[in-house]
Amino acid sequence: MAELLRVENLKTYYNTLRGIVRAVDGVSFTLRKGEVLGIAGESGSGKSTLAWSLLGLVPPPGYVKEGHIYLDGMDITRMSEAELRKKVRWKKISMVFQGAMNALTPVYTVGRQIEEVFKIHAPHMGKQEVWNRIYELLESVGLHRSIAHRYPHELSGGQKQRVVIAMALALEPDIVIADEPTTALDVVVQAQILNLLKRLQREKGLSIILITHDLGVIAELAETVMIMYAGKMVEYGPADLVFTRPKHPYTEALLKAIPRLRGPVDKLIYIPGQPPDLTRPPPGCKFAPRCPLAMDECHEKEPPLFKLVDGRLSACWLNRNEALEAGG
Amino acid sequence: MAQANGDIVLDVRDLKVWFPLRRSISEIVTMKPRRYVKAVDGVTFKVAKGEVFCLVGESGCGKTTTGKAILRLVDPTGGQVLFKPKPEILKELERRGIKPVDGGYVDLVRVPKGKFKPLRRELQIVYQDPYGSLNPRFTIKRILEDPLIIHGIGSPKEREEMIARILEAVKLTPASDFMTRYPHQLSGGQRQRVAIARAFILNPSLVVADEPVSMLDVSIRAEILELLLDFRKKYGTSLIFITHDLAVARYICDRIAVMYLGKIVEIGDARRVIEEPVHPYTKALVAAIPEPDPDNRLRIREVPIKGEVPNAASIPPGCRFHPRCVEYEQDKERLDALCPVKEPPLDRPINAAPGDERLVACWRYIEK
Amino acid sequence: MATARAILTRVVNSLITLVVALLFISAIFAVFKVTELEGRLAEELPLMLQQLEQQYRHNPELFEEKAKQLEQDLREKYGLTGSYWENVVNWTVRLLISNLTFNFGTTQYSYIGGTNDVGEILIIALKNTAILFVTATIITSIIGIILGLQMARRPGSPLDRGISILGMISWSLPTWWVAIIMLLVFSFYLGIFPTQMKDVYSELARLPGGLEYYILSIPIWLRYMALPVITLVLVSFGGWAYIVRNIVLGVLQEDFVMAARARGLPERRVIYGHVLRTSSPPIVTYIALSLVGAFGGAIITEAVFGWPGMGLVYWVAIQNQDATVLVASTWVLTVAFILTILILDFIYALLDPRVRVG
Amino acid sequence: MSVTLKSIVDFWREYRRYPIGLVGLGLLLLLIIAALTFPIFGDYQVVKNWLTNQEYFQDYPRAVPPCWVGLLTGQSQTQTIIAKDAEVASFVAVEGPVQGEDGYVRYRITATFTVTGATEPSDVALEAYMSYQADPPGVLIEEIKVVRPDGKEFYLVKPVLPGGLNVNLPLETVAPTIGTVFGYPNTKLPGADVPFSLVGLAQNPVVITRFILPTLTQEYGAELAGASLSQLLTNVYRAIFSDDIAAALKGEDYNVLQGDYQVIITFAGKNLDMEIEPKKFVVKGSCYGLLGTDDKGRPLDQGIYYGVRWALIIGLLTSVITVVVGTLYGIAAGYIGGIVDEVLLRFAQVVYSLPVLPLLILLAALFKPNIWMIIILIVAFSWPGISFVTRSMALQIKSEPYVEAAIAAGAGTLRILILYILPQVLPYMFASMALSVPGAVIAEASLSFLGLGDPDLVTWGKILYDAQDAGAALNGYWWWVIPPGLAIALVGMTFVFIGNALDTILNPKLKR
């Protein structure tokens, strides 16, 4: 399938009083049309910053240090604010924000906020046409059209999340970034939202970048999985492989740390220590200080992304022998 | 660890916590009765010594309020909370003029606020939010010392030793290093360990753990759970573990109670309830949980439930779950006289396997 | 439904405030009045008794009777028939009624508008105060909001720092003092503006009538208003900008701002349409608060400029020890003030959908 | 203990990062020093007599600007001299007795001063203790003259004949007695303080017509032709200091002659034995001190210097009481909650929506309160603002899990309030104390400005009231208006700066 988005060696840093925070530190991936990429990582792993970078929306004092983001052959990192606004944001890439509760402006009705999107990006559309489309959108995410005339605070969490998804689909973008789309929702609602995303993805052939800390949610949707740790991607590959036969000790540990609903109740393992301070990252592998399998080398030299036989990428020295080549 | 051994520490009977709603002007004018948010609406369960008892349910189901009502951090509207304190605490209470109910139990609901203090040594809580549960202006030492000072335990030197010991027990070593730190200098996981240390430093008989891991990163959750189980084993403390995560519940709990809108709908052995749920709501909950299994991607997850949770201020009549219940819908003709009319009691399901101690509040499964 | 409740609560609140203010004003004036009248009685009575004694020198019994009668009459005339506190209560009730009916009687001193009717004086004064104050507030809010937005968008920039410090400084300046300085500079040294703003009336009197009057009176009003308005704006715009900045800075950190940007909305639309619109309820609250704060300073400023408003009435009444006018103007001002706050409360409720419904 | 110390040190580290806060702290230090040093460097007599005793300020020039203005504008000014007792000796010399050949014993007072300004000093005055004995009794004033820098002598008293010729007659027949000039009975003068004023003399019609005009016509007769008597009467004093005496007399333009002047008074009498002890010498210059004087001659620098302490007392006391009352009220409402909270909140809202200043004015106008009452009144109207904030803080802290954890651990209400809630509210209290100082200072100044302040107190507001009353702005007396207002602003700014720094530290949302 056609390649939609290519990210090359993206580095997004924040200048803070304490030093430079390397929130995203050399991430590369491609996204094909209709592909769902799940990006998993714990708090502070840089996954949200990565999402903001894709829209050119890194909040100050953050900035894209280097790297390229190619969308349809255009490099987003080189675009002016006006170009981003007119060509990329929402037309090509839309986003479902973390905590949908706060992603809607509280003083406008839901419909008005969707209407505004059309006003800006499709000024030729008539008012009637726009509103028909709004109702259609709301109904497509399983909401009644009367929701359009309500204010965000009058809606439940699940309804707001649906509204935000409807809004993301308004201009039929190629890519939807979903940043923790179900966090803070109850499990039942979460399941409904995941179903909705699944359905929409299939119907419209959407490409989705799903960002979450919850591997369970990733498994529901993602075809390809990227595991991030301390601003680096540590493992990248098809979900089937990553979940069943992880090739990075971090991925493996994460999977073993999650209690399961079915099967035998194994003793959970945990990862000792805590993620590194991104202003003063350790030399070598960022995960080495917490890694049960760390070797001397791991503390000294940063592992490259090894490309494995099964097509996966993994940044761990243990994979050296299995690797086809050191990519990255 | 089932309750069969009869060593019941806590016996909650028909506990109710109702919060009065402010009446609108038209309601005052028309003299309508005051309405209540029935956060907890008749909850009954027992917790054995050394047991981990789980309360699960979605947000707003009353699980946290139940936990806090047991600790009298929220005042119950009705019901009984019979608690069996350690003998020395019981003696202290008797000295203060509180007569125990038979068998060395005290009804926590009826203990006057002014005489509750000795019981605080016995009942502790661990909160969800590791950032808000530690006083930002106290050092770790001061945080852990405060309960000891309040109860007049030990000399300063002894207290310091106790603090060092408990810090080591929660693996914050070297203890002396952590004592002088402030909460903001610790990571989330470390803070939660301090919170656990604070809960256990008084050696309580019962600890309520209110979603202690849900705000922590996945990689460190297991460690916190481990710690709680450790303490349980070491001191025989009973745990009421409140969570929305059935998978965590399955991992840590001996018994489990599933709550919906202020009531327990299903209660029983944790594994059994989760692996073979009976109540339609439990079934929906179990079905809704995503697991890191890549096969899930290929199917639309069927969650057998309709609509959204109603407002706790307007609880549906009869079985409070029936408007969302798929099974009621399927078997409407038979159940129409029951579900929308009469509240189902917690009872043994008709087809319960032998040895299954579970109770269910659903007409479909208890009606003979 | 819920809107009705919110409005009703606010109205009831304002009514309670009015009643408290009314009671307070009437009662303290009653205390003053009774004390004053008792004093007058104590002065007059002995003199009149002396006269009476002369008259009835030969008939001590009749004198006793007449003396009693005289005291009785005088006490009735002054409304001092009971004990001290009874008198105070009686007077309070009397004043309550006159305040509630806005029936303040007349004054012997001359204020503005060439009338001695206190009610008429206050109507003119209130109108002039409103003209000045509303104009100044509108100008200040526009400048304050625009500057505040710019500051919030670039926190720490020279503009931000400069205006912040200016705001802090103007927060510590008495408005009326700035008014004196403005007079000194612009009227005395530069001679650009008139010095006594109440002269506006004599100038207006020279105009022909009819439509022409209205056209010609505008530039005259503007010329006389300019200095007071500039002063009021100068003193408060910095503080406004600073508060707006802080409110907006808070809103800018909300998630929906980034969400709006992500939707590709132009920055102007994000800032004015989403950020400012969301900030508007707290900003309106701040307008209410700042009115509370600036009001006192503003009316004294009027006195400095001789602007024929409430401030001038106050100034003259204080010089003349004219208690009637003082009380009447305090009451009228209180009513106007509480009504203004009530209106702002309504505007707040209109702007914030969360209040509108909940 | 060390924990508290450490947190104070930490706080200071953070505070240091705010230049504005440091400026505020520096200003505060200055103000405190100013308030404390008044008893050392200030003139308490001036302040004591400020409101009640106008006589006291008769030696001061009236409504003159500060002296440093001359340095800025390049315009020279005549310094004011107010010399008393021992200091007088450096300006005033007394000679005598000198036995004259004509049989008279003479005493002479010579007062020297310098005129450097573009305008003449508004008065030159001398006060001396005098007592005498003479035989036959009586002291004559032989002459009073001003010796000017250009060498000319301007006679105020010089015995002459109506014809204009100085005839060699005995003094008794031509010279006035001491009483004629100084207004004392000429027969006998027991020991007394005798005042002399150059203006007084030069504007005294009797002296002018009897002594001054004859001498002047003798000298400038031709030039003065056509000048009216009334013109001459009003212009004599100016002429003394004029470079063109005749022009000055006629009321035409002239320049002030700059340089050293001497006022010489000669007493004479037969067998005269006089004791002259100069007590005071005053030259009312065209400028005074650091901040000039007002229209009653009161030196403004002293008033403003003295005002510092009251501004600080009023500001701090009012804000501290306000904040403490507001905080306790707010915490009580928030912590107790329920119906109590409702009632307390409603009451605070009512007080809050009253127009403060009009009510203060009414109360002050009707009851003429003293400063302590004024402070109480200001507090009575300003506590609600604080109480709203502390109430919501108490509500919020009360619901924090760590407070509930403390309750769960068995902590009582008092412990919660003191150890958990108060430490959180305390920094906010300090910030609001600082931030409410300017309001309090301005409120008091406003009342004083309206003439409703404490009648027995010299405050900046009162000085401004006097200025407004005298139309200072419309007369261009900027030195009377600007400094007191700046002083109010300075106190305000000091605390706003400090409060703002505290606020920024406490309110992380505003950081950066």
Side-chain angles (χ1 to χ4, degrees), chain B residues 229-295:
Chain B
L229 291 179
D230 263 6
F231 275 113
R232 185 269 296 260
K233 203 186 276 169
K234 221 188 288 175
Y235 303 113
T237 316
S238 306
L239 279 176
I240 295 182
F241 193 95
I242 296 168
T243 181
H244 69 276
D245 188 336
L246 282 175
V248 169
R250 178 169 176 259
Y251 179 72
I252 193 173
C253 302
D254 300 315
R255 285 194 312 128
I256 188 172
V258 180
M259 287 185 73
Y260 180 76
L261 271 187
K263 251 192 142 63
I264 292 175
V265 294
E266 183 160 6
I267 184 168
D269 177 75
R271 292 245 201 130
R272 282 200 169 150
V273 168
I274 292 166
E275 282 161 20
E276 307 140 28
V278 170
H279 194 281
Y281 178 65
T282 318
K283 287 178 186 160
L285 271 189
V286 171
I289 290 171
E291 286 224 273
D293 174 359
D295 292 342

Side-chain angles (χ1 to χ4, degrees), chain D residues 408-482:
Chain D
T413 307
L414 208 63
R415 193 178 184 86
I416 299 285
L417 282 175
I418 291 173
L419 281 179
Y420 288 76
I421 294 186
L422 209 59
Q424 302 273 47
V425 178
L426 215 57
Y428 165 76
M429 281 175 74
F430 284 120
S432 11
M433 274 178 200
L435 288 174
S436 52
V437 167
V441 173
I442 291 178
E444 191 279 333
S446 300
L447 282 184
S448 294
F449 179 68
L450 292 170
L452 301 172
D454 187 320
D456 301 326
L457 216 59
V458 182
T459 62
W460 297 332
K462 179 155 291 157
I463 293 173
L464 283 167
Y465 167 73
D466 291 334
Q468 177 70 6
D469 205 33
L474 307 177
N475 289 309
Y477 299 153
W478 55 266
W479 61 90
W480 193 357
V481 178
I482 293 176

Side-chain angles (χ1 to χ4, degrees), chain B residues 28-179:
Chain B
I28 293 170
V29 172
T30 54
M31 308 236 290
K32 278 196 185 146
R34 189 177 272 282
R35 294 194 304 154
Y36 292 89
V37 171
K38 297 177 179 175
V40 179
D41 196 19
V43 161
T44 303
F45 62 87
K46 290 178 182 162
V47 181
K49 181 167 165 51
E51 184 184 31
V52 181
F53 181 83
C54 276
L55 286 170
V56 301
E58 294 178 283
S59 54
C61 71
K63 53 190 193 298
T64 297
T65 312
T66 306
K68 289 188 177 173
I70 291 166
L71 302 188
R72 281 290 292 281
L73 294 170
V74 168
D75 275 325
T77 314
Q80 281 180 299
V81 178
L82 300 177
F83 171 69
K84 188 181 204 169
K86 293 195 188 86
E88 67 264 28
I89 304 288
L90 197 64
K91 238 178 255 156
E92 170 69 26
L93 285 169
E94 278 178 58
R95 224 169 39 74
R96 297 193 173 203
I98 292 165
K99 273 180 247 117
V101 208
D102 43 35
Y105 288 93
V106 178
D107 184 355
L108 298 180
V109 178
R110 307 238 146 31
V111 177
K113 273 237 159 103
K115 295 177 179 174
F116 207 85
K117 195 169 158 187
L119 282 162
R120 295 275 174 226
R121 287 181 68 169
E122 285 285 82
L123 305 161
Q124 280 298 316
I125 181 163
V126 177
Y127 288 90
Q128 171 179 18
D129 176 9
Y131 296 89
S133 65
L134 305 178
N135 189 340
R137 284 171 197 275
F138 280 6
T139 55
I140 303 307
K141 182 183 173 213
R142 187 83 180 73
I143 288 171
L144 294 177
E145 196 177 12
D146 215 35
L148 299 174
I149 295 174
I150 290 168
H151 293 283
I153 297 169
S155 65
K157 206 166 155 54
E158 287 167 336
R159 288 202 291 261
E160 186 155 344
E161 278 164 23
M162 291 170 83
I163 293 165
R165 235 177 296 139
I166 198 94
L167 278 174
E168 264 155 41
V170 296
K171 294 178 189 149
L172 290 175
T173 47
S176 57
D177 199 29
F178 280 93
M179 277 195 215

Side-chain angles (χ1 to χ4, degrees), chain D residues 28 39 106 161 178 219 248 253 344 354 365 379 417 419-420 449 487:
Chain D
L28 180 64
R106 287 189 171 79
L161 281 180
I178 196 170
E219 230 170 303
D253 285 349
L344 289 180
L354 293 173
V379 170
L417 282 175
L419 281 179
Y420 288 76
F449 179 68

Side-chain angles (χ1 to χ4, degrees), chain C residues 293-351:
Chain C
F295 201 61
I299 62 169
I300 303 180
T301 307
E302 286 187 349
V304 171
F305 283 119
W307 179 259
M310 295 300 289
L312 191 66
V313 170
Y314 263 105
W315 181 267
V316 178
I318 292 167
Q319 307 303 318
N320 294 339
Q321 291 284 307
D322 191 346
T324 322
V325 171
L326 271 180
V327 170
S329 39
T330 305
W331 169 239
V332 167
L333 215 49
T334 306
V335 174
F337 188 76
I338 292 171
L339 282 180
T340 314
I341 303 238
L342 184 64
I343 292 168
L344 285 169
D345 262 354
F346 281 139
I347 297 178
Y348 179 93
L350 282 179
L351 286 174

